[in-house]
Amino acid sequence: MPILQLSQSLINKIAAGEVIERPASVLKELMENAVDACAKRIDVAVQRGGSELIRVVDDGCGIPADELQLAVASHATSKLSEADDLFRVGTLGFRGEALASIASVSRTVLRSRTPESDSGAELAVTGGVATEAVPCGCPVGTSVEVHNLFFNTPVRRKFLRTVQTEFGHTSEAFTRIALGVPHVQFTLRHNDRLVFDLPGCDGMFERIERLFGRELAEGLIHVESTDAQVRLSGYVADPMHSRANNRMQYVFLNGRYIRDRSLQHALSEAYRGLLTSGRYPIAFLTLDMPPETVDVNVHPTKLEVRFQDSGRLYSQLLSTLRSKFLATDLTVRVRPVDSGEPVGSYNSSRETELRQEVVDWAKEKVASWDTAAGPESAAQDAFSIGRASADRQPLEITRLDRAMAPPAGDMQTPARALQIHNRYLVTETEEGVTIIDQHALHERILYEQLRERVCSGEIETQNLLVPEPVDLAADEAAAALENRDLLAELGMKIEPFGGNTVLIAGFPAMLANLSPAEVLRELLDKLISGKREPDRGDLLDELLHTIACRAAVKAGDRLAPEEIDALLQQRRLVASSHHCPHGRPSELIFTREELDKRFKRV
Ligand code: ADP
Ligand code: MG
């Protein structure tokens, strides 16, 4: 094949492939343009998750009629004029390819008017082919409508997920921009339903509260510091609020939402010992620094950036948080979990106690940082959180057993077991010696029992007298509503409650001693992080694993003798108890022959 110069329309489609992955990416680009145009108010409307329509209307500086064609041409921008500008970018956009890319894979209508002009102009582009701009009546500012995204790239269109999922992403894109510029007023409508109405405000706090709810906002700690070049400010959550993933870590660099591994790591370091393992801190941070000290042109959607001195930034964030935690009495922020009476049975006293223990422990650790040992050694003790709580009330292993246990006559006397390190059980068997991992075995047992019940439709749901509202991130809320049926099969009843809040109306009775909100969040995390279009069966299985893992006794939990008996008893009832559902072995068997061989008796 000869080498051919690609046509402009093909070039645009290729560029679109890089920048425009789904409706949410379109929304991001359009909202960024509106912010760059110094809009004070931005109204967003989407239909069917954004795949049918995305409309962004702003009251910004507008585009002159004779520049409308250029705005949708590729590599045309008003934001850079010379090469050096690239190294001191002060706007969100600068590549001049977003509108061209979007217009090449949709039917786009652009209307705009500048303050100097008495009328506006309208331009329509279908699959990259533009009409002449015609005059139209419109207010000062710009409105961009993107209809039928990917109508001419069926492969891309096929990759779109359900309306709820796409809306989840769209809403997250909205959230990221809205958090970055709190002084701008925003609204978001989905299928004509008003999802967010955010008045312009002075700082980020009010915006966080509007977007994520009061409960989270009340648990925020203000942080601030200034280095020679960098001003860091924002909010981090009290350790009693955390997540099973790092998606609630919002970092804004000069108003731009970014993801940065090194800063995420600094956050985790700062919370080391304050959160149990597998939990991630929540943070909303803004970094202001001279544009020339950071390269934003390293990633097509500018999600990642390159700092000139990332090591220094890392230390600044870490030390700012550490000194703030030292100065903060973290306990006073902990509200009694079981104050809300009727729901109280779920927020069991065990959980409250555990939390209190963790908080006390953390407080002690933080206090010890100013003494000689220093933060490093405190951090090394992080794992002792689990073990420090070994004297808690015994777990209700038997709760599940009774239903499952065979009639008394069939019962074999349970084998006695030695307990080792609150982690392994060693028992003598006919074959030899079996070493059991208590967590893995219990997880397996619970998993099997749950599965059996789900399959036979026997999961018992306990309806909550007062449904529990849970504030979620946009994508979590979308996942919750989209998978309502699936969650109902597991005994978890979810109702929409407006915005990103859902109600838990019923909870699996067998999980009574766990917090419904926590379990829901973890399940949603599993639903969201699954990359491919999941098979219903796989999904259910995955959720069962999650519940089993969450409900099982942990390594480090000290079990009462009855609990050990119960565990060993149930072990016989579970067909494949040799592996925990994650595939780790739950027990190791040393046969007598093996032992004899090792001790050189044979
Ligand atoms: P970039 O934002 O990288 O410059 P875009 O393709 O997103 O590239 O936009 C091209 C140009 O169109 C911008 O540089 C700007 O001049 C103009 N433009 C786009 N959207 C708006 C808007 N909402 N208000 C004013 N001007 C806009
Ligand atoms: Mg742009």
Side-chain angles (χ1 to χ4, degrees):
M1 279 234 290
I3 299 178
L4 293 176
Q5 179 72 48
L6 295 180
S7 72
Q8 192 57 50
S9 94
L10 197 50
I11 292 175
N12 289 348
K13 276 192 191 155
I14 291 171
E18 221 182 13
V19 187
I20 310 298
E21 187 194 349
R22 57 185 353 141
S25 359
V26 172
L27 184 62
K28 168 183 182 285
E29 296 295 339
L30 299 185
M31 288 180 75
E32 285 189 353
N33 282 346
V35 170
D36 282 347
C38 300
K40 293 198 176 56
R41 174 179 179 138
I42 300 173
D43 293 298
V44 179
V46 298
Q47 299 279 351
R48 294 192 54 79
S51 59
E52 195 173 299
L53 171 72
I54 300 167
R55 185 200 300 125
V56 177
V57 181
D58 69 59
D59 61 359
C61 65
I63 308 171
D66 59 354
E67 288 185 10
L68 273 185
Q69 295 278 4
L70 258 186
V72 295
S74 63
H75 307 297
T77 178
S78 57
K79 300 169 194 176
L80 292 182
S81 59
E82 44 180 307
D84 276 358
D85 289 350
L86 196 51
F87 305 102
R88 43 167 189 262
V89 174
T91 47
L92 295 175
F94 57 85
R95 297 163 73 108
E97 50 181 11
L99 281 185
S101 301
I102 293 167
S104 76
V105 291
S106 68
R107 305 177 214 274
T108 298
V109 180
L110 213 68
R111 286 186 201 94
S112 198
R113 183 181 142 197
T114 59
E116 301 78 34
S117 172
D118 348 311
S119 76
E122 177 180 315
L123 180 77
V125 194
T126 301
V129 182
T131 57
E132 284 291 307
V134 292
C136 76
C138 64
V140 170
T142 303
S143 126
V144 185
E145 284 179 7
V146 176
H147 299 262
N148 306 103
L149 183 66
F150 302 138
F151 81 97
N152 56 348
T153 48
V155 180
R156 261 292 148 99
R157 197 161 177 96
K158 248 197 246 152
F159 275 102
L160 293 183
R161 307 268 296 260
T162 61
V163 169
Q164 289 278 13
T165 302
E166 291 305 333
F167 180 68
H169 290 287
T170 308
S171 174
E172 176 65 18
F174 173 91
T175 301
R176 290 174 184 179
I177 305 250
L179 273 173
V181 281
H183 59 280
V184 179
Q185 181 182 355
F186 288 93
T187 59
L188 172 65
R189 284 191 161 71
H190 185 216
N191 299 340
D192 301 322
R193 182 173 66 95
L194 182 65
V195 182
F196 286 119
D197 185 0
L198 313 173
C201 46
D202 281 341
M204 205 193 227
F205 185 83
E206 194 184 326
R207 185 126 304 175
I208 298 171
E209 185 172 0
R210 288 261 177 177
L211 286 165
F212 296 97
R214 194 112 162 253
E215 195 193 333
L216 175 71
E218 278 174 357
L220 292 179
I221 302 169
H222 182 247
V223 292
E224 193 168 13
S225 72
T226 312
D227 191 6
Q229 298 208 299
V230 183
R231 200 182 104 83
L232 164 79
S233 69
Y235 297 87
V236 294
D238 183 289
M240 84 171 267
H241 295 275
S242 65
R243 288 290 184 273
N245 58 59
N246 61 14
R247 282 197 306 269
M248 279 283 275
Q249 297 177 357
Y250 292 90
V251 179
F252 297 88
L253 164 73
N254 297 341
R256 181 195 310 282
Y257 171 87
I258 58 160
R259 306 283 299 164
D260 184 87
R261 272 174 199 280
S262 147
L263 294 178
Q264 286 166 356
H265 190 262
L267 272 170
S268 299
E269 274 302 295
Y271 278 80
R272 218 159 59 158
L274 297 174
L275 295 179
T276 43
S277 77
R279 304 299 295 178
Y280 293 81
I282 297 170
F284 304 88
L285 300 171
T286 65
L287 301 169
D288 291 300
M289 59 178 78
E292 62 273 16
T293 60
V294 52
D295 187 353
V296 292
N297 188 29
V298 294
H299 190 267
T301 63
K302 308 163 203 112
L303 188 62
E304 286 161 27
V305 299
R306 196 175 294 137
F307 296 106
Q308 223 168 55
D309 195 346
S310 76
R312 186 158 171 175
L313 196 57
Y314 180 97
S315 316
Q316 185 183 351
L317 177 56
L318 185 55
S319 65
T320 305
L321 295 196
R322 275 190 177 159
S323 44
K324 186 69 189 191
F325 291 159
L326 279 174
T328 307
D329 181 1
L330 296 171
T331 40
V332 297
R333 298 170 159 274
V334 178
R335 280 180 299 159
V337 208
D338 50 358
S339 54
E341 260 309 312
V343 202
S345 60
Y346 287 106
N347 298 320
S348 72
S349 55
R350 174 178 161 248
E351 183 135 330
T352 317
E353 255 172 40
L354 264 176
R355 259 175 218 250
Q356 193 56 50
E357 273 180 40
V358 171
V359 169
D360 287 347
W361 177 88
K363 207 178 129 194
E364 231 180 271
K365 280 298 163 203
V366 170
S368 72
W369 286 354
D370 23 6
T371 62
E376 291 334 317
S377 78
Q380 274 164 11
D381 287 345
F383 278 129
S384 52
I385 288 188
R387 270 163 253 155
S389 57
D391 298 326
R392 45 141 194 81
Q393 294 161 11
L395 283 167
E396 285 195 59
I397 299 194
T398 43
R399 168 182 285 280
L400 268 132
D401 310 343
R402 285 187 204 111
M404 297 298 298
D410 295 357
M411 287 240 200
Q412 299 171 5
T413 351
R416 300 302 320 184
L418 187 68
Q419 228 203 329
I420 302 184
H421 294 303
N422 292 333
R423 191 178 282 251
Y424 300 111
L425 310 173
V426 181
T427 93
E428 180 187 343
T429 56
E430 269 173 35
E431 270 179 289
V433 171
T434 303
I435 304 178
I436 298 167
D437 177 324
Q438 66 183 39
H439 170 72
L441 174 63
H442 194 211
E443 186 176 345
R444 179 86 233 172
I445 292 169
L446 290 177
Y447 169 78
E448 295 287 342
Q449 294 178 341
L450 276 164
R451 200 176 58 172
E452 198 169 309
R453 288 190 187 193
V454 168
C455 291
S456 57
E458 274 176 29
I459 277 272
E460 214 184 304
T461 299
Q462 181 152 345
N463 289 326
L464 302 190
L465 287 179
V466 179
E468 183 173 335
V470 189
D471 297 323
L472 298 169
D475 52 349
E476 292 173 334
L481 296 176
E482 190 178 318
N483 293 287
R484 265 168 88 181
D485 294 353
L486 196 67
L487 293 168
E489 273 182 54
L490 295 166
M492 177 88 99
K493 282 199 211 157
I494 302 296
E495 304 290 343
F497 194 58
N500 289 331
T501 307
V502 300
L503 288 180
I504 302 182
F507 191 63
M510 55 170 41
L511 299 182
N513 53 355
L514 299 178
S515 139
E518 290 286 299
V519 173
L520 176 64
R521 286 212 168 88
E522 203 153 326
L523 294 178
L524 294 177
D525 191 47
K526 280 282 149 22
L527 287 173
I528 293 167
S529 55
K531 291 252 171 354
R532 67 213 156 76
E533 191 70 57
D535 167 81
R536 197 180 166 77
D538 289 352
L539 208 56
L540 200 63
D541 209 48
E542 174 93 28
L543 299 185
L544 292 179
H545 286 171
T546 307
I547 293 181
C549 180
R550 199 66 161 67
V553 296
K554 303 284 175 291
D557 283 344
R558 181 178 300 160
L559 303 185
E562 313 85 76
E563 291 180 311
I564 297 177
D565 286 352
L567 204 53
L568 296 178
Q569 189 66 48
Q570 288 173 84
R571 170 171 159 251
R572 296 154 199 266
L573 304 173
V574 178
S576 46
S577 63
H578 297 316
H579 286 84
C580 86
H582 297 310
R584 278 196 297 117
S586 62
E587 48 184 71
L588 299 175
I589 298 168
F590 289 88
T591 59
R592 269 182 55 187
E593 295 78 63
E594 171 77 16
L595 292 172
D596 287 348
K597 214 160 78 195
R598 296 216 172 202
F599 285 105
K600 311 234 180 294
R601 285 179 173 274
V602 286

